């Protein structure tokens, strides 16, 4: 089956056809590095990684670009709220530059442990101020801007396709309700391209520009950097569903206003939210879980990846610890089966297998994943293969490795743990680490005793604690 993707722009699935033969330009909105990414954000990056893998498996060469927002932008998409970077700096008593550097590194670690391929180009806003200014100059020259109260605004009334992506009508409550009343704006949904007047006097990050010293509005970075690396028209742009109404809508307006070309991006793909009991997981709501939180409770990051793949990316996914435990059990069973296959075939070399039976499975798998990335269905095919006793074990392994090129669960690196550590003991290990980090030595010692009682021994090394079977 040919690759079909759901395009938010036309609100239906359509066959994917790249603009250039065998090449795809893919832009994904990246993190604002003022805090750790939460596992909801990471769901977005897992989805984008699957998309990239699927494109590659469909023989496209993918140029994957992602921005790193290391310049302050306001807590809300609509130019209101607090500046995120200043918020982070205040919270941790560091400079905004230090905050950005630290959380960018943390983000890269999360990405790596989730087996997400690093983007071909990862671009920091602070290193592209020149391009951003050039983009704003073009928008200005083409007549889409006005200056008001010291800031440069985009005038949405000049851009006739403004509501194309969201499908909203002007003055639609749903879009406009999120937009702040700002007396300096001509239209409610106008947005800032360049700030010279910030409500935060202590803004550290500022640059000279034709409009005065200041800093860019949030949305313009994605237009400037995507065009720089992918050209004035490219194939796919992704992000979470929350970006449709404002951020991506504004990106389209800026990009098309600056280049004068319609159809900036051909396919728009958006993932649904990861939700908690109380609603969407969001940093601004103050209640969120990070990958580190999961790891501290003893979950391998790939269990979270498996958990995400169990739901279609356009369906909301409810996070619960029971749900994650379910994914853990299934992931462990899958891992055990793959390890058994490896043990049976120690001399196994990955070669092409053309047996009819596995080809049928491969076709079912591809049909599922090429149908708008139906990962739950693809996992179901994978399980049929794992359970099928009639396939030659080498062939099974070869097939599973091919599936994993799409899924990214890391099958090739599965080996039996030297020590099989029960989950309970892993949890106590994590609690002990936490106690040590907070210099609560008494608690740490008590937890060490509990680990010994369970029959294990902790050895603290330069690389962190190691666990072995007790005497
Ligand atoms: P941000 O750092 O807020 O710009 O978010 C990074 C990415 O995560 C964007 O693509 C967001 O749309 C996406 N995102 C934010 N919250 C969630 C959530 N709860 N579930 C899934 N994706 C999310
Ligand atoms: Zn963006």
């Amino acid at each position: 089956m040919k690759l079909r993707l759901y395009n938010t722009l036309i609100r239906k699935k359509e066959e994917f056809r790249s603009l250039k033969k065998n090449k795809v330009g893919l832009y994904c909105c990246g993190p604002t590095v003022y805090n750790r990414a939460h596992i909801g954000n990471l769901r977005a990056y897992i989805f984008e990684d699957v998309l990239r893998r699927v494109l590659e498996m469909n023989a496209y060469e993918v140029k994957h670009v992602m921005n790193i927002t290391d310049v302050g932008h306001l807590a809300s998409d609509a130019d209101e709220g607090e500046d995120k970077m200043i918020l982070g700096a205040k919270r941790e008593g560091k400079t905004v530059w230090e905050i950005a550097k630290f959380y960018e590194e943390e983000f890269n670690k999360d990405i790596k442990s989730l087996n997400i391929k690093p983007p071909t180009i990862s671009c920091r806003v602070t290193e592209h101020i020149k391009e951003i200014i050039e983009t704003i100059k073009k928008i200005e020259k083409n007549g889409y801007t006005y200056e008001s109260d010291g800031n440069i605004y985009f005038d949405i009334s000049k851009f006739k396709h403004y509501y194309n992506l969201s499908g909203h009508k002007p003055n639609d409550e749903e879009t406009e309700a999120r937009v702040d009343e700002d007396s300096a704006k001509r239209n409610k949904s106008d947005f800032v391209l360049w700030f010279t007047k910030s409500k935060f006097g202590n803004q550290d990050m500022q640059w000279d520009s034709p409009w005065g010293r200041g800093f860019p509005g949030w949305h313009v970075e994605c237009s400037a950097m995507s065009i720089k690396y992918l050209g004035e028209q490219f194939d796919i742009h992704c992000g979470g569903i929350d970006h449709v109404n404002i951020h991506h809508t504004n990106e389209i307006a800026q990009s098309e206003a600056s280049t004068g070309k319609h159809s900036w991006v051909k396919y728009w793909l958006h993932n649904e939210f990861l939700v908690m009991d109380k609603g969407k997981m969001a940093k601004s709501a103050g209640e969120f879980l990070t990958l580190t939180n999961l790891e501290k409770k003893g979950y391998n990051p790939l269990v979270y990846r498996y958990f995400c793949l169990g739901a279609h990316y356009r369906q909301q996914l409810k996070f619960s610890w029971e749900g994650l435990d379910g994914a853990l059990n299934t992931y462990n069973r899958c891992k055990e089966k793959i390890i058994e296959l490896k043990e049976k075939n120690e001399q196994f070399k990955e070669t092409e297998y053309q047996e009819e039976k596995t080809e049928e499975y491969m076709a079912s798998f591809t049909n599922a994943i090429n149908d708008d990335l139906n990962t739950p269905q693809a996992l179901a095919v994978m399980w049929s293969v794992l359970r099928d006793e009639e396939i030659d074990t080498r062939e099974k392994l070869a097939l599973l490795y091919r599936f994993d090129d799409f899924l990214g669960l890391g099958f090739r690196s599965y080996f039996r743990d030297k020590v099989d550590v029960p989950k309970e003991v892993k949890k106590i290990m994590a609690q002990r680490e936490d106690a040590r980090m907070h210099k609560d030595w008494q608690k740490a010692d008590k937890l060490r005793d509990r680990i010994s009682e369970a029959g294990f021994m902790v050895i603290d090394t330069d690389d962190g604690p190691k666990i072995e079977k007790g005497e």
Side-chain angles (χ1 to χ4, degrees):
M1 184 189 186
K2 292 207 171 126
L3 178 59
R4 289 168 66 75
L5 297 171
Y6 183 91
N7 188 352
T8 309
L9 207 50
I10 56 163
R11 285 166 193 78
K12 59 179 184 207
K13 282 191 228 173
E14 61 178 333
E15 191 185 319
F16 175 74
R17 289 172 202 264
S18 60
L19 292 169
K20 289 189 200 133
K21 196 163 181 269
N22 303 333
K23 285 187 195 281
V24 173
L26 167 68
Y27 186 85
C28 303
C29 291
T32 305
V33 284
Y34 76 114
N35 207 334
R36 268 175 223 285
H38 60 62
I39 56 172
N41 302 136
L42 296 172
R43 180 183 189 202
Y45 303 115
I46 292 171
F47 141 64
E48 287 155 3
D49 184 57
V50 172
L51 171 65
R52 172 175 167 177
R53 288 168 183 271
V54 170
L55 288 163
E56 287 174 346
M57 294 308 288
N58 278 274
Y60 291 104
E61 187 190 320
V62 182
K63 184 168 177 187
H64 173 192
V65 179
M66 191 182 71
N67 59 304
I68 302 283
T69 304
D70 55 352
V71 168
H73 80 76
L74 307 184
S76 134
D77 291 357
D79 301 335
E80 58 182 275
E82 282 212 75
D83 178 295
K84 289 184 175 178
M85 297 299 293
I86 296 181
L87 212 64
K90 265 202 268 176
R91 187 185 60 230
E92 296 179 29
K94 292 183 182 159
T95 67
V96 280
W97 301 91
E98 285 165 344
I99 287 288
K101 184 169 183 293
F102 177 77
Y103 285 113
E104 184 183 330
E105 281 165 12
E106 291 302 298
F107 176 74
N108 287 336
K109 280 188 216 159
D110 283 352
I111 292 298
K112 195 165 176 214
S113 49
L114 285 166
N115 213 12
I116 292 174
K117 293 188 178 188
T120 325
I121 295 172
S122 181
C123 37
R124 297 191 187 101
V125 180
T126 50
E127 290 164 8
H128 292 81
I129 300 295
K130 194 172 105 264
E131 288 81 354
I132 290 173
I133 291 175
E134 286 308 313
T135 305
I136 304 174
K137 273 164 70 181
K138 284 186 197 154
I139 302 172
E140 185 177 49
K141 190 163 151 264
N142 293 342
Y144 292 88
T145 65
Y146 60 94
E147 189 272 339
S148 182
D149 206 11
N151 297 328
I152 305 298
Y153 285 86
F154 188 99
D155 183 347
I156 64 145
S157 67
K158 300 263 169 67
F159 185 71
K160 72 170 191 274
H161 308 293
Y162 187 73
Y163 293 101
N164 267 15
L165 184 70
S166 65
H168 289 156
K169 306 226 163 23
N171 302 318
D172 193 328
E173 299 256 307
E174 214 185 310
T175 336
E176 314 268 26
R178 297 185 58 198
V179 180
D180 193 19
E181 292 285 355
D182 172 352
S183 56
K185 290 182 185 179
R186 289 184 189 161
N187 311 289
K188 262 188 161 186
S189 294
D190 288 353
F191 53 95
V192 180
L193 295 168
W194 189 266
F195 288 94
T196 67
K197 273 241 193 90
S198 159
K199 48 183 167 177
F200 307 101
N202 55 344
Q203 197 86 27
D204 269 352
M205 290 181 166
Q206 296 202 37
W207 295 267
D208 289 327
S209 83
W211 314 280
R213 201 165 164 73
F215 57 96
W218 172 39
H219 314 292
V220 68
E221 65 187 61
C222 290
S223 295
M225 297 198 287
S226 62
I227 291 174
K228 168 167 179 168
Y229 294 110
L230 297 171
E232 291 187 350
Q233 286 179 315
F234 60 89
D235 300 284
I236 310 180
H237 194 314
C238 297
I241 193 92
D242 52 331
H243 284 341
V244 176
N245 289 348
I246 300 182
H247 181 53
H248 288 168
T249 289
N250 291 353
E251 279 188 34
I252 296 175
Q254 296 161 147
S255 303
E256 298 189 2
S258 78
T259 62
K261 287 184 188 152
H262 190 41
S263 295
W264 170 48
V265 171
K266 200 168 168 196
Y267 301 91
W268 285 87
L269 270 64
H270 294 99
N271 66 280
E272 253 297 350
F273 287 141
L274 178 80
V275 294
M276 307 280 279
D277 272 341
K278 288 181 198 149
K280 178 196 162 194
M281 182 174 287
K283 276 181 245 180
S284 47
E287 200 177 295
F288 64 89
L289 286 169
T290 62
L291 200 60
T292 317
N293 294 144
L294 303 194
E295 285 179 283
K296 280 198 175 157
K297 282 181 176 272
Y299 295 95
N300 177 335
L302 291 177
V303 170
Y304 181 62
R305 186 173 173 114
Y306 193 98
F307 175 74
C308 289
L309 297 184
H312 190 270
Y313 76 93
R314 283 193 296 111
Q315 303 274 303
Q316 280 200 352
L317 173 59
K318 188 157 176 191
F319 179 83
S320 68
W321 293 107
E322 297 77 48
L324 193 64
D325 279 335
L328 172 72
N329 288 336
T330 328
Y331 170 85
N332 279 345
R333 276 195 288 128
C334 162
K335 186 171 175 182
E336 180 58 34
K337 280 181 177 290
I338 289 174
I339 291 173
E340 278 170 15
L341 286 171
K342 283 186 173 183
E343 286 171 347
K344 276 190 197 137
N345 299 291
E346 279 183 1
Q347 301 306 319
F348 173 75
K349 286 209 178 55
E350 256 183 81
T351 38
E352 285 292 320
Y353 288 86
Q354 295 293 343
E355 294 277 324
E356 221 170 276
K357 182 128 195 180
T358 58
E359 278 312 308
E360 257 173 47
Y361 276 128
M362 192 66 221
S364 314
F365 185 91
T366 318
N367 281 348
I369 206 97
N370 273 358
D371 180 13
D372 194 31
L373 319 183
N374 193 338
T375 50
Q377 185 64 39
L379 286 178
V381 178
M382 178 191 90
W383 274 99
S384 309
V385 171
L386 283 169
R387 290 196 191 100
D388 190 331
E389 297 296 333
E390 285 176 17
I391 321 176
D392 172 85
T393 55
R394 280 164 308 166
E395 216 164 286
K396 208 186 232 193
L397 202 49
L399 185 61
L400 289 162
Y401 283 169
R402 273 171 81 194
F403 290 172
D404 196 48
D405 290 330
F406 294 82
L407 300 171
L409 289 166
F411 291 170
R412 290 182 184 80
S413 53
Y414 287 176
F415 293 101
R416 201 170 290 291
D417 287 336
K418 286 215 179 70
V419 201
D420 238 345
V421 186
K423 207 172 123 221
E424 274 320 301
V425 175
K426 281 191 187 156
K427 264 194 199 160
I428 306 174
M429 282 271 285
Q431 287 164 359
R432 178 177 171 268
E433 268 311 277
D434 203 44
R436 277 159 53 84
M437 249 168 58
H438 291 94
K439 303 201 173 4
D440 188 348
W441 309 119
Q442 232 180 343
K443 186 172 173 192
D445 285 345
K446 278 200 185 129
L447 290 166
R448 177 196 281 274
D449 293 344
R450 278 181 57 198
I451 295 171
S452 308
E453 279 157 24
F456 292 88
M457 189 167 65
V458 194
I459 304 158
D460 292 307
T461 72
D462 289 346
D463 298 328
K466 295 259 162 3
I467 192 146
E468 284 188 2
K469 269 255 176 260
E471 311 281 271

